[in-house]
Amino acid sequence: MADRDRDPDRNQPQEIQLLHPPPHYRQTGPSTTQIVAVLTLLPVGGSLLALAALTLTGTLIGLSIAIPLFIIFSPVIVPATIAISMAVAGFLSSGAFGLTGLSSLNYGLKRMIRANAGTGVGKGQAKRGMWDMVGYVGQKTKDVGQNMENKAHEGGGAVRT
């Protein structure tokens, strides 16, 4: 209460600030910050444009030198490109097959755990069963491969699995 009595301006009505200045105060041209921004960005943009032109020129000169070399060495470049692309495709497909195998093993393990959850079979026993199945499939694959190799060495014939 004592603060109100000491401050004579407190009881005076406050001025209302206008959101938009009156028409005679409006600026008709760009502001100084806009002018400074344009003056700053103009040399930067010009220098980047010059660098782009230099890069394009260098690329065109390099292509004009490289195209005859590509034509001369194409009997070497084309097979090399094919070999490299096949190697990359092989690595990518082996990675995809590996991920597919791991995810299918994970799916089978989870399925066995869920199926045996009500029968009292523990997680360790389910994992052992899964690893036994993986070992069996691996051994069967080795046997089939060995059988095919033996048949190939014998000179052909039907392959039994």
Side-chain angles (χ1 to χ4, degrees), residues 44-128:
V44 172
S47 61
L48 289 175
L49 188 61
L51 283 174
L54 284 173
T55 305
L56 178 64
T57 305
T59 302
L60 291 176
I61 291 171
L63 276 175
S64 66
I65 293 171
I67 285 176
L69 293 175
F70 283 147
I71 292 172
I72 292 170
F73 293 112
S74 65
V76 174
I77 292 174
V78 172
T81 304
I82 291 171
I84 289 172
S85 62
M86 288 178 69
V88 168
F91 284 124
L92 292 177
S93 63
S94 70
F97 289 145
L99 284 176
T100 304
L102 286 175
S103 64
S104 64
L105 287 175
N106 187 27
Y107 172 77
L109 178 64
K110 285 184 179 182
R111 187 126 165 120
M112 281 179 55
I113 289 172
R114 268 193 235 124
N116 295 329
T119 61
V121 176
K123 189 175 183 178
Q125 196 171 0
K127 280 186 180 179
R128 275 192 303 273

